[in-house]
Amino acid sequence: MAELLGSISLSARAQLQNRLASLAHIVGQKSSAALVFDDRAAAVEVLQALRAESSVISACLYQSSGQLFAQCGRRDGVRDCPERVRDERTDKPGFLGVTRTIARQGDVAGTLFLQSDLHEIARRWRHLLLVTAWMLLVALLVGGVAGSLLQRRISRPVRALATAMQQVTDRHDFSARVEAWGFDEIARLGKLQGSEINEAKKILAGEATRLAHGEEAAKKARATAEETFAGGGKGADLPVFTFKPGETPAIVDIAVALGFTASKG
Protein backbone atom coordinates (compact mmCIF):
# COMPACT_ATOMS: atom_id res chain seq x y z
CA MET A 1 0.00 0.00 0.00
CA ALA A 2 2.83 2.40 0.88
CA GLU A 3 4.52 1.68 -2.46
CA LEU A 4 1.27 2.38 -4.32
CA LEU A 5 0.75 5.71 -2.52
CA GLY A 6 4.38 6.66 -3.16
CA SER A 7 4.04 5.85 -6.85
CA ILE A 8 0.85 7.92 -7.10
CA SER A 9 2.57 10.85 -5.37
CA LEU A 10 5.53 10.77 -7.77
CA SER A 11 3.19 10.49 -10.74
CA ALA A 12 1.14 13.49 -9.57
CA ARG A 13 4.30 15.56 -9.07
CA ALA A 14 5.55 14.63 -12.55
CA GLN A 15 2.18 15.55 -14.08
CA LEU A 16 2.23 18.92 -12.32
CA GLN A 17 5.77 19.63 -13.55
CA ASN A 18 4.80 18.75 -17.13
CA ARG A 19 1.78 21.04 -16.83
CA LEU A 20 3.97 23.91 -15.64
CA ALA A 21 6.43 23.29 -18.49
CA SER A 22 3.60 23.43 -21.05
CA LEU A 23 2.25 26.65 -19.56
CA ALA A 24 5.73 28.21 -19.49
CA HIS A 25 6.20 27.37 -23.16
CA ILE A 26 2.86 28.93 -24.19
CA VAL A 27 3.18 32.04 -22.00
CA GLY A 28 6.82 32.50 -23.01
CA GLN A 29 5.85 32.64 -26.69
CA LYS A 30 3.08 35.16 -26.02
CA SER A 31 5.32 37.40 -23.92
CA SER A 32 8.29 37.48 -26.31
CA ALA A 33 6.94 40.51 -28.19
CA ALA A 34 6.44 42.43 -24.95
CA LEU A 35 10.07 41.77 -24.02
CA VAL A 36 11.39 42.87 -27.42
CA PHE A 37 9.32 46.08 -27.45
CA ASP A 38 9.82 46.75 -23.74
CA ASP A 39 6.06 46.76 -23.09
CA ARG A 40 5.66 45.97 -19.40
CA ALA A 41 1.87 46.45 -19.42
CA ALA A 42 1.46 43.87 -22.16
CA ALA A 43 3.78 41.46 -20.33
CA VAL A 44 1.76 41.81 -17.10
CA GLU A 45 -1.46 41.22 -19.05
CA VAL A 46 -0.05 37.99 -20.49
CA LEU A 47 1.11 36.79 -17.06
CA GLN A 48 -2.26 37.57 -15.46
CA ALA A 49 -3.85 34.91 -17.69
CA LEU A 50 -2.10 32.37 -15.45
CA ARG A 51 -4.41 33.30 -12.57
CA ALA A 52 -6.89 30.87 -14.10
CA GLU A 53 -4.44 28.10 -13.18
CA SER A 54 -5.08 27.32 -9.52
CA SER A 55 -1.71 25.61 -9.09
CA VAL A 56 0.41 28.59 -10.26
CA ILE A 57 1.22 30.98 -7.39
CA SER A 58 3.72 33.27 -9.17
CA ALA A 59 5.01 34.05 -12.65
CA CYS A 60 8.29 35.94 -13.13
CA LEU A 61 9.40 37.36 -16.48
CA TYR A 62 13.04 38.47 -16.89
CA GLN A 63 14.84 40.34 -19.63
CA SER A 64 17.80 38.82 -21.45
CA SER A 65 20.06 40.74 -19.05
CA GLY A 66 18.51 38.79 -16.14
CA GLN A 67 16.69 41.82 -14.70
CA LEU A 68 13.09 41.36 -13.52
CA PHE A 69 10.76 42.75 -16.18
CA ALA A 70 7.24 41.77 -15.03
CA GLN A 71 5.60 39.58 -12.45
CA CYS A 72 2.20 38.32 -11.41
CA GLY A 73 1.10 36.48 -8.29
CA ARG A 74 -1.97 34.62 -7.25
CA ARG A 75 -2.77 37.38 -4.77
CA ASP A 76 -2.48 41.09 -5.54
CA GLY A 77 0.36 42.87 -3.77
CA VAL A 78 2.36 39.69 -3.15
CA ARG A 79 5.77 39.73 -4.86
CA ASP A 80 7.55 36.38 -4.86
CA CYS A 81 9.98 37.07 -7.72
CA PRO A 82 13.63 37.97 -7.04
CA GLU A 83 15.01 41.03 -8.82
CA ARG A 84 17.38 38.96 -10.95
CA VAL A 85 16.98 35.58 -12.57
CA ARG A 86 18.95 32.75 -11.05
CA ASP A 87 20.94 30.38 -13.20
CA GLU A 88 20.24 27.50 -10.86
CA ARG A 89 17.00 27.49 -8.94
CA THR A 90 16.33 24.99 -6.18
CA ASP A 91 12.70 24.23 -5.38
CA LYS A 92 11.69 25.27 -1.90
CA PRO A 93 10.03 22.63 0.27
CA GLY A 94 6.36 22.48 -0.63
CA PHE A 95 6.86 24.23 -3.99
CA LEU A 96 7.70 23.30 -7.56
CA GLY A 97 9.26 25.60 -10.17
CA VAL A 98 9.91 25.56 -13.91
CA THR A 99 12.26 27.89 -15.82
CA ARG A 100 11.87 28.46 -19.56
CA THR A 101 14.19 30.47 -21.87
CA ILE A 102 12.25 32.72 -24.26
CA ALA A 103 13.68 33.01 -27.78
CA ARG A 104 12.59 35.27 -30.64
CA GLN A 105 14.03 34.87 -34.13
CA GLY A 106 16.88 32.80 -32.78
CA ASP A 107 17.93 35.29 -30.08
CA VAL A 108 17.33 34.99 -26.34
CA ALA A 109 14.65 37.52 -25.41
CA GLY A 110 14.33 36.66 -21.76
CA THR A 111 13.47 34.01 -19.18
CA LEU A 112 10.17 32.95 -17.64
CA PHE A 113 9.90 31.30 -14.23
CA LEU A 114 6.68 29.72 -12.98
CA GLN A 115 6.25 28.54 -9.42
CA SER A 116 3.53 26.28 -8.06
CA ASP A 117 2.61 25.05 -4.64
CA LEU A 118 1.69 21.43 -4.02
CA HIS A 119 -1.88 22.25 -3.11
CA GLU A 120 -3.25 20.18 -6.01
CA ILE A 121 -1.15 17.15 -5.02
CA ALA A 122 -2.25 17.52 -1.39
CA ARG A 123 -5.88 17.67 -2.53
CA ARG A 124 -5.38 14.45 -4.53
CA TRP A 125 -3.78 12.83 -1.50
CA ARG A 126 -6.73 13.73 0.70
CA HIS A 127 -9.16 12.42 -1.91
CA LEU A 128 -7.18 9.21 -2.32
CA LEU A 129 -6.95 8.64 1.43
CA LEU A 130 -10.68 9.29 1.80
CA VAL A 131 -11.53 6.81 -0.96
CA THR A 132 -9.12 4.25 0.56
CA ALA A 133 -10.66 4.70 4.00
CA TRP A 134 -14.17 4.21 2.61
CA MET A 135 -13.07 1.11 0.68
CA LEU A 136 -11.51 -0.38 3.82
CA LEU A 137 -14.64 0.41 5.83
CA VAL A 138 -16.91 -1.18 3.22
CA ALA A 139 -14.60 -4.22 2.99
CA LEU A 140 -14.67 -4.62 6.79
CA LEU A 141 -18.46 -4.33 6.90
CA VAL A 142 -18.97 -6.77 4.03
CA GLY A 143 -16.42 -9.18 5.49
CA GLY A 144 -18.00 -8.97 8.94
CA VAL A 145 -21.52 -9.56 7.65
CA ALA A 146 -20.41 -12.38 5.33
CA GLY A 147 -18.37 -13.99 8.11
CA SER A 148 -21.28 -13.78 10.54
CA LEU A 149 -23.70 -15.33 8.05
CA LEU A 150 -21.23 -18.06 7.13
CA GLN A 151 -20.49 -18.83 10.77
CA ARG A 152 -24.20 -19.04 11.52
CA ARG A 153 -24.76 -21.29 8.51
CA ILE A 154 -21.97 -23.63 9.60
CA SER A 155 -22.58 -23.61 13.35
CA ARG A 156 -26.37 -24.02 13.20
CA PRO A 157 -26.42 -27.65 11.99
CA VAL A 158 -23.45 -28.47 14.23
CA ARG A 159 -25.31 -27.17 17.30
CA ALA A 160 -28.45 -29.06 16.26
CA LEU A 161 -26.44 -32.26 15.86
CA ALA A 162 -24.78 -31.80 19.25
CA THR A 163 -28.20 -31.25 20.87
CA ALA A 164 -29.57 -34.43 19.27
CA MET A 165 -26.53 -36.44 20.40
CA GLN A 166 -26.90 -35.16 23.95
CA GLN A 167 -30.59 -36.04 23.86
CA VAL A 168 -29.75 -39.61 22.81
CA THR A 169 -26.93 -39.93 25.36
CA ASP A 170 -28.62 -38.42 28.40
CA ARG A 171 -32.24 -39.39 27.87
CA HIS A 172 -31.80 -42.45 25.63
CA ASP A 173 -34.28 -40.80 23.29
CA PHE A 174 -33.60 -42.38 19.92
CA SER A 175 -36.42 -40.44 18.32
CA ALA A 176 -34.22 -37.32 18.25
CA ARG A 177 -33.91 -35.90 14.77
CA VAL A 178 -31.78 -33.21 13.15
CA GLU A 179 -33.40 -30.96 10.58
CA ALA A 180 -31.63 -30.79 7.24
CA TRP A 181 -30.87 -27.27 5.91
CA GLY A 182 -30.07 -26.25 2.41
CA PHE A 183 -31.32 -26.83 -1.12
CA ASP A 184 -28.96 -29.54 -2.39
CA GLU A 185 -29.85 -33.20 -2.88
CA ILE A 186 -28.64 -34.25 0.56
CA ALA A 187 -30.84 -31.63 2.23
CA ARG A 188 -33.81 -32.67 0.08
CA LEU A 189 -33.42 -36.33 0.95
CA GLY A 190 -32.89 -35.48 4.61
CA LYS A 191 -36.30 -33.76 4.73
CA LEU A 192 -38.20 -36.84 3.51
CA GLN A 193 -40.70 -38.32 5.95
CA GLY A 194 -42.57 -41.61 6.27
CA SER A 195 -42.68 -43.75 3.17
CA GLU A 196 -40.79 -41.08 1.22
CA ILE A 197 -37.62 -42.21 3.03
CA ASN A 198 -37.60 -45.23 0.71
CA GLU A 199 -36.44 -42.89 -2.06
CA ALA A 200 -33.36 -42.01 -0.04
CA LYS A 201 -32.75 -45.69 0.67
CA LYS A 202 -32.84 -46.51 -3.05
CA ILE A 203 -30.42 -43.73 -3.91
CA LEU A 204 -28.07 -44.75 -1.08
CA ALA A 205 -28.12 -48.39 -2.15
CA GLY A 206 -27.45 -47.51 -5.78
CA GLU A 207 -24.61 -45.05 -5.11
CA ALA A 208 -22.89 -47.29 -2.55
CA THR A 209 -23.01 -50.24 -4.94
CA ARG A 210 -21.74 -48.12 -7.84
CA LEU A 211 -18.75 -46.96 -5.84
CA ALA A 212 -17.94 -50.47 -4.59
CA HIS A 213 -18.79 -52.69 -7.57
CA GLY A 214 -19.38 -50.55 -10.64
CA GLU A 215 -22.25 -49.23 -12.72
CA GLU A 216 -23.65 -52.64 -13.80
CA ALA A 217 -23.98 -53.83 -10.22
CA ALA A 218 -25.54 -50.48 -9.32
CA LYS A 219 -28.30 -50.99 -11.89
CA LYS A 220 -29.14 -54.35 -10.32
CA ALA A 221 -29.05 -52.79 -6.87
CA ARG A 222 -31.46 -50.03 -7.94
CA ALA A 223 -33.85 -52.65 -9.34
CA THR A 224 -33.63 -54.67 -6.12
CA ALA A 225 -34.14 -51.55 -4.01
CA GLU A 226 -37.16 -50.57 -6.10
CA GLU A 227 -38.71 -54.04 -5.58
CA THR A 228 -37.89 -54.13 -1.87
CA PHE A 229 -38.61 -50.58 -0.67
CA ALA A 230 -41.27 -49.45 -3.14
CA GLY A 231 -42.96 -52.69 -4.09
CA GLY A 232 -42.98 -54.19 -0.60
CA GLY A 233 -41.43 -57.44 -1.80
CA LYS A 234 -38.03 -59.09 -1.38
CA GLY A 235 -35.57 -58.61 -4.18
CA ALA A 236 -34.22 -61.74 -5.77
CA ASP A 237 -30.66 -60.42 -5.55
CA LEU A 238 -30.77 -59.73 -1.80
CA PRO A 239 -28.42 -62.01 0.17
CA VAL A 240 -30.12 -64.39 2.61
CA PHE A 241 -28.79 -65.81 5.89
CA THR A 242 -30.74 -68.56 7.65
CA PHE A 243 -30.32 -69.62 11.28
CA LYS A 244 -32.26 -71.84 13.61
CA PRO A 245 -34.68 -70.50 16.22
CA GLY A 246 -32.92 -69.82 19.49
CA GLU A 247 -29.55 -69.23 17.85
CA THR A 248 -27.83 -65.88 18.15
CA PRO A 249 -25.19 -65.78 15.42
CA ALA A 250 -22.32 -63.31 15.68
CA ILE A 251 -22.26 -60.36 13.33
CA VAL A 252 -18.99 -61.53 11.83
CA ASP A 253 -20.55 -64.93 11.00
CA ILE A 254 -23.43 -63.19 9.21
CA ALA A 255 -21.00 -60.94 7.30
CA VAL A 256 -18.95 -63.95 6.12
CA ALA A 257 -22.06 -65.93 5.18
CA LEU A 258 -23.47 -63.05 3.15
CA GLY A 259 -20.14 -62.46 1.39
CA PHE A 260 -19.52 -59.05 2.88
CA THR A 261 -16.05 -60.17 4.04
CA ALA A 262 -13.79 -63.04 3.03
CA SER A 263 -12.88 -64.22 6.53
CA LYS A 264 -13.41 -63.57 10.22
CA GLY A 265 -9.88 -62.17 10.61
Side-chain angles (χ1 to χ4, degrees):
M1 188 65 178
E3 293 181 359
L4 176 60
L5 293 177
S7 175
I8 293 175
S9 177
L10 292 175
S11 176
R13 190 180 181 93
Q15 289 178 2
L16 178 58
Q17 190 159 14
N18 291 336
R19 175 64 177 166
L20 286 177
S22 298
L23 288 173
H25 178 71
I26 296 172
V27 174
Q29 287 182 329
K30 291 184 176 181
S31 60
S32 61
L35 285 169
V36 172
F37 295 103
D38 198 24
D39 189 347
R40 294 180 184 272
V44 171
E45 185 178 353
V46 172
L47 296 181
Q48 285 179 341
L50 290 170
R51 287 186 174 180
E53 296 290 332
S54 60
S55 59
V56 178
I57 62 173
S58 63
C60 311
L61 185 62
Y62 296 90
Q63 295 174 318
S64 58
S65 62
Q67 188 68 31
L68 181 64
F69 182 71
Q71 62 179 316
C72 180
R74 179 185 296 172
R75 294 173 295 177
D76 292 332
V78 177
R79 298 292 182 263
D80 295 327
C81 300
E83 289 299 321
R84 295 195 60 83
V85 67
R86 300 173 185 175
D87 294 334
E88 294 183 1
R89 181 177 295 272
T90 303
D91 293 332
K92 296 184 294 184
F95 296 90
L96 189 64
V98 170
T99 303
R100 174 73 64 180
T101 300
I102 302 173
R104 185 175 177 84
Q105 295 180 350
D107 297 328
V108 176
T111 304
L112 176 65
F113 173 73
L114 300 183
Q115 184 171 245
S116 170
D117 59 14
L118 302 181
H119 174 76
E120 182 66 20
I121 295 179
R123 187 189 65 81
R124 291 185 184 183
W125 262 93
R126 289 193 297 269
H127 178 73
L128 178 62
L129 291 175
L130 182 62
V131 171
T132 302
W134 274 109
M135 290 179 62
L136 289 175
L137 180 60
V138 171
L140 288 175
L141 289 176
V142 172
V145 172
S148 177
L149 294 176
L150 183 60
Q151 182 181 13
R152 184 180 304 177
R153 184 179 181 85
I154 294 175
S155 61
R156 183 181 178 185
V158 173
R159 288 198 304 268
L161 182 60
T163 301
M165 291 176 62
Q166 185 176 7
Q167 191 173 351
V168 172
T169 303
D170 296 344
R171 306 175 189 175
H172 302 287
D173 182 6
F174 295 96
S175 64
R177 295 291 183 270
V178 177
E179 181 183 357
W181 289 282
F183 302 96
D184 55 7
E185 185 178 15
I186 295 177
R188 182 181 66 81
L189 295 176
K191 295 176 182 179
L192 298 178
Q193 300 290 333
S195 60
E196 294 177 340
I197 297 178
N198 289 334
E199 180 184 352
K201 292 179 180 178
K202 289 186 293 182
I203 295 175
L204 177 61
E207 292 300 319
T209 305
R210 183 180 63 81
L211 292 174
H213 303 289
E215 185 63 34
E216 191 63 32
K219 292 180 181 179
K220 294 181 180 180
R222 280 194 289 268
T224 301
E226 180 72 26
E227 182 181 353
T228 302
F229 299 128
K234 179 175 73 67
D237 294 332
L238 286 178
V240 178
F241 177 76
T242 305
F243 59 93
K244 297 178 181 179
E247 290 183 349
T248 306
I251 295 297
V252 66
D253 293 332
I254 298 176
V256 173
L258 295 178
F260 293 154
T261 181
S263 65
K264 299 181 180 181

